[in-house]
Amino acid sequence: MRKQRKWRSPTTSGTYRSWLAMKGRCLDPNNNSFDYYGGRGIGVCPEWANDFDRFYTDMGERPEGMTLDRRDNELGYSPSNCRWIEAPKQQANQRRTIRIAHAGFNLTLTEWALKLGVPYYTLWNRIRCHKMTPEKALTSLSLNRGRSA
């Protein structure tokens, strides 16, 4: 059964903007994000590529505060791989997100920072700049405490 849109022209809807952004990332070499999507082989299923109504039928109206997300970041945009999700959860699902398993938890670096009460960039710098193991980064005293100017 085909879902009926609640608006005549889709161009003002968030759902339509999400569809356009998805297509731009994957199909337009001039898009700023193309290298991270289309440039590495992430595509849009043929049913969605040129048919907003089909995308709308499969995905429905974008809920307020949600973004389009791929369940598996190595696969393209298709009905079986896409969902509407809250932005913070989508950010945790990005390839560049650092996940650390420690003390029985598997959390993102952002989640660890919140859990430990340490600034995100303190942990990030320990791992990326100071080449600490993730475990050492989570358990070391702050590198900047007690530092005088």
Side-chain angles (χ1 to χ4, degrees), residues 79-110:
S80 63
N81 195 40
C82 289
R83 61 188 169 184
W84 298 117
I85 193 169
E86 297 92 356
K89 287 185 181 177
Q90 182 191 34
Q91 290 167 350
N93 191 33
Q94 295 177 349
R95 285 185 324 134
R96 67 178 182 220
T97 298
I98 300 169
R99 294 197 74 83
I100 301 172
H102 173 71
F105 296 97
N106 186 4
L107 304 175
T108 66
L109 196 60
T110 301

PDB file of all heavy atoms in Angstrom, residues 79-110:
ATOM      1  N   PRO A  79      16.384   0.182   0.925  1.00  0.00           N
ATOM      2  CA  PRO A  79      15.387  -0.020   1.981  1.00  0.00           C
ATOM      3  C   PRO A  79      15.869  -0.945   3.103  1.00  0.00           C
ATOM      4  O   PRO A  79      15.577  -0.705   4.279  1.00  0.00           O
ATOM      5  CB  PRO A  79      14.200  -0.634   1.248  1.00  0.00           C
ATOM      6  CG  PRO A  79      14.353  -0.199  -0.161  1.00  0.00           C
ATOM      7  CD  PRO A  79      15.831  -0.096  -0.403  1.00  0.00           C
ATOM      8  N   SER A  80      16.633  -1.966   2.768  1.00  0.00           N
ATOM      9  CA  SER A  80      17.063  -2.923   3.796  1.00  0.00           C
ATOM     10  C   SER A  80      18.223  -2.408   4.648  1.00  0.00           C
ATOM     11  O   SER A  80      18.506  -2.950   5.709  1.00  0.00           O
ATOM     12  CB  SER A  80      17.451  -4.251   3.150  1.00  0.00           C
ATOM     13  OG  SER A  80      18.560  -4.059   2.285  1.00  0.00           O
ATOM     14  N   ASN A  81      18.898  -1.340   4.200  1.00  0.00           N
ATOM     15  CA  ASN A  81      20.069  -0.852   4.921  1.00  0.00           C
ATOM     16  C   ASN A  81      19.861   0.533   5.541  1.00  0.00           C
ATOM     17  O   ASN A  81      20.770   1.065   6.155  1.00  0.00           O
ATOM     18  CB  ASN A  81      21.290  -0.816   3.988  1.00  0.00           C
ATOM     19  CG  ASN A  81      22.595  -0.665   4.749  1.00  0.00           C
ATOM     20  OD1 ASN A  81      22.792  -1.257   5.804  1.00  0.00           O
ATOM     21  ND2 ASN A  81      23.490   0.147   4.223  1.00  0.00           N
ATOM     22  N   CYS A  82      18.667   1.110   5.388  1.00  0.00           N
ATOM     23  CA  CYS A  82      18.445   2.474   5.877  1.00  0.00           C
ATOM     24  C   CYS A  82      17.372   2.547   6.942  1.00  0.00           C
ATOM     25  O   CYS A  82      16.478   1.703   7.003  1.00  0.00           O
ATOM     26  CB  CYS A  82      18.073   3.396   4.715  1.00  0.00           C
ATOM     27  SG  CYS A  82      19.462   3.730   3.622  1.00  0.00           S
ATOM     28  N   ARG A  83      17.492   3.573   7.765  1.00  0.00           N
ATOM     29  CA  ARG A  83      16.532   3.820   8.835  1.00  0.00           C
ATOM     30  C   ARG A  83      16.622   5.300   9.203  1.00  0.00           C
ATOM     31  O   ARG A  83      17.587   5.985   8.882  1.00  0.00           O
ATOM     32  CB  ARG A  83      16.852   2.968  10.050  1.00  0.00           C
ATOM     33  CG  ARG A  83      18.238   3.282  10.622  1.00  0.00           C
ATOM     34  CD  ARG A  83      18.679   2.334  11.696  1.00  0.00           C
ATOM     35  NE  ARG A  83      20.096   2.555  11.997  1.00  0.00           N
ATOM     36  CZ  ARG A  83      20.781   1.834  12.823  1.00  0.00           C
ATOM     37  NH1 ARG A  83      20.202   0.820  13.450  1.00  0.00           N
ATOM     38  NH2 ARG A  83      22.045   2.084  13.048  1.00  0.00           N
ATOM     39  N   TRP A  84      15.602   5.776   9.896  1.00  0.00           N
ATOM     40  CA  TRP A  84      15.640   7.107  10.503  1.00  0.00           C
ATOM     41  C   TRP A  84      16.163   6.911  11.923  1.00  0.00           C
ATOM     42  O   TRP A  84      15.729   6.017  12.633  1.00  0.00           O
ATOM     43  CB  TRP A  84      14.248   7.741  10.541  1.00  0.00           C
ATOM     44  CG  TRP A  84      13.632   7.972   9.204  1.00  0.00           C
ATOM     45  CD1 TRP A  84      12.495   7.398   8.723  1.00  0.00           C
ATOM     46  CD2 TRP A  84      14.099   8.845   8.175  1.00  0.00           C
ATOM     47  NE1 TRP A  84      12.236   7.859   7.453  1.00  0.00           N
ATOM     48  CE2 TRP A  84      13.193   8.755   7.091  1.00  0.00           C
ATOM     49  CE3 TRP A  84      15.196   9.700   8.050  1.00  0.00           C
ATOM     50  CZ2 TRP A  84      13.357   9.483   5.913  1.00  0.00           C
ATOM     51  CZ3 TRP A  84      15.359  10.417   6.873  1.00  0.00           C
ATOM     52  CH2 TRP A  84      14.454  10.312   5.831  1.00  0.00           C
ATOM     53  N   ILE A  85      17.117   7.745  12.318  1.00  0.00           N
ATOM     54  CA  ILE A  85      17.747   7.584  13.622  1.00  0.00           C
ATOM     55  C   ILE A  85      18.090   8.957  14.203  1.00  0.00           C
ATOM     56  O   ILE A  85      18.289   9.911  13.450  1.00  0.00           O
ATOM     57  CB  ILE A  85      19.004   6.692  13.491  1.00  0.00           C
ATOM     58  CG1 ILE A  85      19.538   6.228  14.834  1.00  0.00           C
ATOM     59  CG2 ILE A  85      20.070   7.381  12.692  1.00  0.00           C
ATOM     60  CD1 ILE A  85      20.607   5.152  14.716  1.00  0.00           C
ATOM     61  N   GLU A  86      18.169   9.053  15.518  1.00  0.00           N
ATOM     62  CA  GLU A  86      18.555  10.299  16.165  1.00  0.00           C
ATOM     63  C   GLU A  86      19.994  10.642  15.785  1.00  0.00           C
ATOM     64  O   GLU A  86      20.845   9.762  15.675  1.00  0.00           O
ATOM     65  CB  GLU A  86      18.470  10.193  17.696  1.00  0.00           C
ATOM     66  CG  GLU A  86      17.082   9.934  18.228  1.00  0.00           C
ATOM     67  CD  GLU A  86      16.783   8.445  18.389  1.00  0.00           C
ATOM     68  OE1 GLU A  86      17.631   7.614  18.014  1.00  0.00           O
ATOM     69  OE2 GLU A  86      15.692   8.127  18.869  1.00  0.00           O
ATOM     70  N   ALA A  87      20.274  11.930  15.616  1.00  0.00           N
ATOM     71  CA  ALA A  87      21.597  12.371  15.168  1.00  0.00           C
ATOM     72  C   ALA A  87      22.738  11.854  16.046  1.00  0.00           C
ATOM     73  O   ALA A  87      23.752  11.383  15.511  1.00  0.00           O
ATOM     74  CB  ALA A  87      21.643  13.895  15.055  1.00  0.00           C
ATOM     75  N   PRO A  88      22.648  11.896  17.391  1.00  0.00           N
ATOM     76  CA  PRO A  88      23.772  11.384  18.189  1.00  0.00           C
ATOM     77  C   PRO A  88      24.050   9.897  17.947  1.00  0.00           C
ATOM     78  O   PRO A  88      25.204   9.466  17.927  1.00  0.00           O
ATOM     79  CB  PRO A  88      23.334  11.618  19.636  1.00  0.00           C
ATOM     80  CG  PRO A  88      22.338  12.725  19.556  1.00  0.00           C
ATOM     81  CD  PRO A  88      21.628  12.520  18.242  1.00  0.00           C
ATOM     82  N   LYS A  89      22.995   9.108  17.745  1.00  0.00           N
ATOM     83  CA  LYS A  89      23.199   7.686  17.464  1.00  0.00           C
ATOM     84  C   LYS A  89      23.824   7.501  16.093  1.00  0.00           C
ATOM     85  O   LYS A  89      24.653   6.615  15.896  1.00  0.00           O
ATOM     86  CB  LYS A  89      21.884   6.922  17.554  1.00  0.00           C
ATOM     87  CG  LYS A  89      21.392   6.747  18.962  1.00  0.00           C
ATOM     88  CD  LYS A  89      20.165   5.889  19.010  1.00  0.00           C
ATOM     89  CE  LYS A  89      19.666   5.744  20.430  1.00  0.00           C
ATOM     90  NZ  LYS A  89      18.431   4.974  20.501  1.00  0.00           N
ATOM     91  N   GLN A  90      23.438   8.333  15.135  1.00  0.00           N
ATOM     92  CA  GLN A  90      24.032   8.233  13.807  1.00  0.00           C
ATOM     93  C   GLN A  90      25.512   8.579  13.861  1.00  0.00           C
ATOM     94  O   GLN A  90      26.336   7.920  13.233  1.00  0.00           O
ATOM     95  CB  GLN A  90      23.328   9.154  12.814  1.00  0.00           C
ATOM     96  CG  GLN A  90      23.918   8.997  11.418  1.00  0.00           C
ATOM     97  CD  GLN A  90      23.460  10.048  10.466  1.00  0.00           C
ATOM     98  OE1 GLN A  90      23.239  11.180  10.839  1.00  0.00           O
ATOM     99  NE2 GLN A  90      23.317   9.658   9.221  1.00  0.00           N
ATOM    100  N   GLN A  91      25.863   9.579  14.621  1.00  0.00           N
ATOM    101  CA  GLN A  91      27.266   9.962  14.731  1.00  0.00           C
ATOM    102  C   GLN A  91      28.102   8.832  15.316  1.00  0.00           C
ATOM    103  O   GLN A  91      29.254   8.654  14.946  1.00  0.00           O
ATOM    104  CB  GLN A  91      27.398  11.233  15.567  1.00  0.00           C
ATOM    105  CG  GLN A  91      26.849  12.441  14.842  1.00  0.00           C
ATOM    106  CD  GLN A  91      26.670  13.642  15.736  1.00  0.00           C
ATOM    107  OE1 GLN A  91      26.783  13.554  16.950  1.00  0.00           O
ATOM    108  NE2 GLN A  91      26.364  14.778  15.131  1.00  0.00           N
ATOM    109  N   ALA A  92      27.515   8.049  16.205  1.00  0.00           N
ATOM    110  CA  ALA A  92      28.231   6.909  16.780  1.00  0.00           C
ATOM    111  C   ALA A  92      28.395   5.786  15.765  1.00  0.00           C
ATOM    112  O   ALA A  92      29.203   4.889  15.965  1.00  0.00           O
ATOM    113  CB  ALA A  92      27.496   6.398  18.017  1.00  0.00           C
ATOM    114  N   ASN A  93      27.647   5.830  14.667  1.00  0.00           N
ATOM    115  CA  ASN A  93      27.681   4.789  13.650  1.00  0.00           C
ATOM    116  C   ASN A  93      28.578   5.164  12.466  1.00  0.00           C
ATOM    117  O   ASN A  93      28.573   4.496  11.457  1.00  0.00           O
ATOM    118  CB  ASN A  93      26.243   4.513  13.157  1.00  0.00           C
ATOM    119  CG  ASN A  93      26.135   3.287  12.299  1.00  0.00           C
ATOM    120  OD1 ASN A  93      26.858   2.322  12.492  1.00  0.00           O
ATOM    121  ND2 ASN A  93      25.250   3.313  11.332  1.00  0.00           N
ATOM    122  N   GLN A  94      29.355   6.213  12.583  1.00  0.00           N
ATOM    123  CA  GLN A  94      30.220   6.630  11.486  1.00  0.00           C
ATOM    124  C   GLN A  94      31.526   5.839  11.491  1.00  0.00           C
ATOM    125  O   GLN A  94      31.982   5.386  12.537  1.00  0.00           O
ATOM    126  CB  GLN A  94      30.529   8.122  11.583  1.00  0.00           C
ATOM    127  CG  GLN A  94      29.317   8.988  11.394  1.00  0.00           C
ATOM    128  CD  GLN A  94      29.632  10.461  11.565  1.00  0.00           C
ATOM    129  OE1 GLN A  94      30.710  10.835  12.024  1.00  0.00           O
ATOM    130  NE2 GLN A  94      28.687  11.304  11.208  1.00  0.00           N
ATOM    131  N   ARG A  95      32.124   5.714  10.311  1.00  0.00           N
ATOM    132  CA  ARG A  95      33.386   4.988  10.200  1.00  0.00           C
ATOM    133  C   ARG A  95      34.480   5.603  11.055  1.00  0.00           C
ATOM    134  O   ARG A  95      35.330   4.915  11.593  1.00  0.00           O
ATOM    135  CB  ARG A  95      33.877   4.971   8.746  1.00  0.00           C
ATOM    136  CG  ARG A  95      33.141   4.053   7.855  1.00  0.00           C
ATOM    137  CD  ARG A  95      33.722   3.960   6.449  1.00  0.00           C
ATOM    138  NE  ARG A  95      34.249   5.209   5.952  1.00  0.00           N
ATOM    139  CZ  ARG A  95      35.419   5.337   5.345  1.00  0.00           C
ATOM    140  NH1 ARG A  95      36.183   4.302   5.156  1.00  0.00           N
ATOM    141  NH2 ARG A  95      35.825   6.498   4.901  1.00  0.00           N
ATOM    142  N   ARG A  96      34.489   6.919  11.168  1.00  0.00           N
ATOM    143  CA  ARG A  96      35.572   7.586  11.889  1.00  0.00           C
ATOM    144  C   ARG A  96      35.398   7.562  13.407  1.00  0.00           C
ATOM    145  O   ARG A  96      36.289   7.974  14.138  1.00  0.00           O
ATOM    146  CB  ARG A  96      35.710   9.020  11.406  1.00  0.00           C
ATOM    147  CG  ARG A  96      34.530   9.881  11.749  1.00  0.00           C
ATOM    148  CD  ARG A  96      34.728  11.304  11.295  1.00  0.00           C
ATOM    149  NE  ARG A  96      33.581  12.081  11.699  1.00  0.00           N
ATOM    150  CZ  ARG A  96      33.013  12.998  10.974  1.00  0.00           C
ATOM    151  NH1 ARG A  96      33.497  13.266   9.785  1.00  0.00           N
ATOM    152  NH2 ARG A  96      31.982  13.653  11.406  1.00  0.00           N
ATOM    153  N   THR A  97      34.250   7.090  13.881  1.00  0.00           N
ATOM    154  CA  THR A  97      34.002   7.043  15.322  1.00  0.00           C
ATOM    155  C   THR A  97      34.928   6.026  15.979  1.00  0.00           C
ATOM    156  O   THR A  97      35.069   4.897  15.526  1.00  0.00           O
ATOM    157  CB  THR A  97      32.530   6.669  15.601  1.00  0.00           C
ATOM    158  OG1 THR A  97      31.702   7.681  15.046  1.00  0.00           O
ATOM    159  CG2 THR A  97      32.263   6.551  17.088  1.00  0.00           C
ATOM    160  N   ILE A  98      35.559   6.451  17.047  1.00  0.00           N
ATOM    161  CA  ILE A  98      36.469   5.576  17.786  1.00  0.00           C
ATOM    162  C   ILE A  98      35.657   4.829  18.844  1.00  0.00           C
ATOM    163  O   ILE A  98      35.014   5.439  19.689  1.00  0.00           O
ATOM    164  CB  ILE A  98      37.590   6.399  18.453  1.00  0.00           C
ATOM    165  CG1 ILE A  98      38.393   7.151  17.395  1.00  0.00           C
ATOM    166  CG2 ILE A  98      38.482   5.497  19.297  1.00  0.00           C
ATOM    167  CD1 ILE A  98      39.348   8.182  17.972  1.00  0.00           C
ATOM    168  N   ARG A  99      35.684   3.506  18.784  1.00  0.00           N
ATOM    169  CA  ARG A  99      35.011   2.660  19.781  1.00  0.00           C
ATOM    170  C   ARG A  99      36.093   1.964  20.602  1.00  0.00           C
ATOM    171  O   ARG A  99      37.077   1.472  20.053  1.00  0.00           O
ATOM    172  CB  ARG A  99      34.114   1.628  19.098  1.00  0.00           C
ATOM    173  CG  ARG A  99      32.939   2.249  18.363  1.00  0.00           C
ATOM    174  CD  ARG A  99      31.863   1.227  18.054  1.00  0.00           C
ATOM    175  NE  ARG A  99      31.102   0.855  19.220  1.00  0.00           N
ATOM    176  CZ  ARG A  99      30.069   1.546  19.713  1.00  0.00           C
ATOM    177  NH1 ARG A  99      29.687   2.636  19.138  1.00  0.00           N
ATOM    178  NH2 ARG A  99      29.422   1.129  20.779  1.00  0.00           N
ATOM    179  N   ILE A 100      35.872   1.908  21.907  1.00  0.00           N
ATOM    180  CA  ILE A 100      36.846   1.282  22.796  1.00  0.00           C
ATOM    181  C   ILE A 100      36.129   0.292  23.714  1.00  0.00           C
ATOM    182  O   ILE A 100      35.194   0.662  24.418  1.00  0.00           O
ATOM    183  CB  ILE A 100      37.589   2.331  23.655  1.00  0.00           C
ATOM    184  CG1 ILE A 100      38.311   3.336  22.748  1.00  0.00           C
ATOM    185  CG2 ILE A 100      38.566   1.650  24.603  1.00  0.00           C
ATOM    186  CD1 ILE A 100      38.899   4.513  23.503  1.00  0.00           C
ATOM    187  N   ALA A 101      36.612  -0.947  23.697  1.00  0.00           N
ATOM    188  CA  ALA A 101      36.122  -1.965  24.621  1.00  0.00           C
ATOM    189  C   ALA A 101      37.059  -1.983  25.820  1.00  0.00           C
ATOM    190  O   ALA A 101      38.273  -2.170  25.676  1.00  0.00           O
ATOM    191  CB  ALA A 101      36.085  -3.321  23.938  1.00  0.00           C
ATOM    192  N   HIS A 102      36.493  -1.735  27.004  1.00  0.00           N
ATOM    193  CA  HIS A 102      37.307  -1.678  28.222  1.00  0.00           C
ATOM    194  C   HIS A 102      36.393  -1.911  29.421  1.00  0.00           C
ATOM    195  O   HIS A 102      35.278  -1.392  29.473  1.00  0.00           O
ATOM    196  CB  HIS A 102      37.997  -0.303  28.329  1.00  0.00           C
ATOM    197  CG  HIS A 102      38.708  -0.082  29.616  1.00  0.00           C
ATOM    198  ND1 HIS A 102      39.873  -0.751  29.944  1.00  0.00           N
ATOM    199  CD2 HIS A 102      38.442   0.728  30.671  1.00  0.00           C
ATOM    200  CE1 HIS A 102      40.280  -0.359  31.135  1.00  0.00           C
ATOM    201  NE2 HIS A 102      39.423   0.545  31.596  1.00  0.00           N
ATOM    202  N   ALA A 103      36.857  -2.672  30.374  1.00  0.00           N
ATOM    203  CA  ALA A 103      36.147  -2.921  31.636  1.00  0.00           C
ATOM    204  C   ALA A 103      34.712  -3.400  31.405  1.00  0.00           C
ATOM    205  O   ALA A 103      33.792  -3.010  32.112  1.00  0.00           O
ATOM    206  CB  ALA A 103      36.165  -1.658  32.495  1.00  0.00           C
ATOM    207  N   GLY A 104      34.530  -4.220  30.384  1.00  0.00           N
ATOM    208  CA  GLY A 104      33.216  -4.789  30.118  1.00  0.00           C
ATOM    209  C   GLY A 104      32.269  -3.888  29.347  1.00  0.00           C
ATOM    210  O   GLY A 104      31.105  -4.229  29.160  1.00  0.00           O
ATOM    211  N   PHE A 105      32.739  -2.731  28.905  1.00  0.00           N
ATOM    212  CA  PHE A 105      31.919  -1.808  28.120  1.00  0.00           C
ATOM    213  C   PHE A 105      32.533  -1.639  26.737  1.00  0.00           C
ATOM    214  O   PHE A 105      33.752  -1.645  26.593  1.00  0.00           O
ATOM    215  CB  PHE A 105      31.843  -0.427  28.783  1.00  0.00           C
ATOM    216  CG  PHE A 105      31.176  -0.438  30.116  1.00  0.00           C
ATOM    217  CD1 PHE A 105      31.934  -0.500  31.284  1.00  0.00           C
ATOM    218  CD2 PHE A 105      29.796  -0.383  30.223  1.00  0.00           C
ATOM    219  CE1 PHE A 105      31.325  -0.498  32.522  1.00  0.00           C
ATOM    220  CE2 PHE A 105      29.179  -0.379  31.466  1.00  0.00           C
ATOM    221  CZ  PHE A 105      29.939  -0.444  32.622  1.00  0.00           C
ATOM    222  N   ASN A 106      31.690  -1.467  25.727  1.00  0.00           N
ATOM    223  CA  ASN A 106      32.135  -1.129  24.378  1.00  0.00           C
ATOM    224  C   ASN A 106      31.461   0.183  24.024  1.00  0.00           C
ATOM    225  O   ASN A 106      30.319   0.211  23.604  1.00  0.00           O
ATOM    226  CB  ASN A 106      31.777  -2.230  23.381  1.00  0.00           C
ATOM    227  CG  ASN A 106      32.354  -1.958  22.013  1.00  0.00           C
ATOM    228  OD1 ASN A 106      33.086  -0.999  21.806  1.00  0.00           O
ATOM    229  ND2 ASN A 106      32.006  -2.811  21.066  1.00  0.00           N
ATOM    230  N   LEU A 107      32.180   1.291  24.245  1.00  0.00           N
ATOM    231  CA  LEU A 107      31.598   2.618  24.086  1.00  0.00           C
ATOM    232  C   LEU A 107      32.380   3.437  23.075  1.00  0.00           C
ATOM    233  O   LEU A 107      33.547   3.162  22.794  1.00  0.00           O
ATOM    234  CB  LEU A 107      31.610   3.353  25.437  1.00  0.00           C
ATOM    235  CG  LEU A 107      30.922   2.675  26.617  1.00  0.00           C
ATOM    236  CD1 LEU A 107      31.146   3.482  27.893  1.00  0.00           C
ATOM    237  CD2 LEU A 107      29.447   2.490  26.349  1.00  0.00           C
ATOM    238  N   THR A 108      31.719   4.473  22.546  1.00  0.00           N
ATOM    239  CA  THR A 108      32.422   5.411  21.682  1.00  0.00           C
ATOM    240  C   THR A 108      33.308   6.292  22.554  1.00  0.00           C
ATOM    241  O   THR A 108      33.115   6.387  23.778  1.00  0.00           O
ATOM    242  CB  THR A 108      31.442   6.310  20.906  1.00  0.00           C
ATOM    243  OG1 THR A 108      30.757   7.151  21.837  1.00  0.00           O
ATOM    244  CG2 THR A 108      30.460   5.486  20.082  1.00  0.00           C
ATOM    245  N   LEU A 109      34.249   6.961  21.934  1.00  0.00           N
ATOM    246  CA  LEU A 109      35.133   7.851  22.680  1.00  0.00           C
ATOM    247  C   LEU A 109      34.318   8.953  23.360  1.00  0.00           C
ATOM    248  O   LEU A 109      34.603   9.330  24.506  1.00  0.00           O
ATOM    249  CB  LEU A 109      36.185   8.455  21.744  1.00  0.00           C
ATOM    250  CG  LEU A 109      37.386   9.092  22.412  1.00  0.00           C
ATOM    251  CD1 LEU A 109      38.143   8.079  23.256  1.00  0.00           C
ATOM    252  CD2 LEU A 109      38.310   9.700  21.379  1.00  0.00           C
ATOM    253  N   THR A 110      33.296   9.450  22.686  1.00  0.00           N
ATOM    254  CA  THR A 110      32.415  10.460  23.282  1.00  0.00           C
ATOM    255  C   THR A 110      31.732   9.910  24.529  1.00  0.00           C
ATOM    256  O   THR A 110      31.660  10.587  25.563  1.00  0.00           O
ATOM    257  CB  THR A 110      31.361  10.913  22.259  1.00  0.00           C
ATOM    258  OG1 THR A 110      32.026  11.458  21.119  1.00  0.00           O
ATOM    259  CG2 THR A 110      30.410  11.939  22.843  1.00  0.00           C
TER     260      THR A 110
END
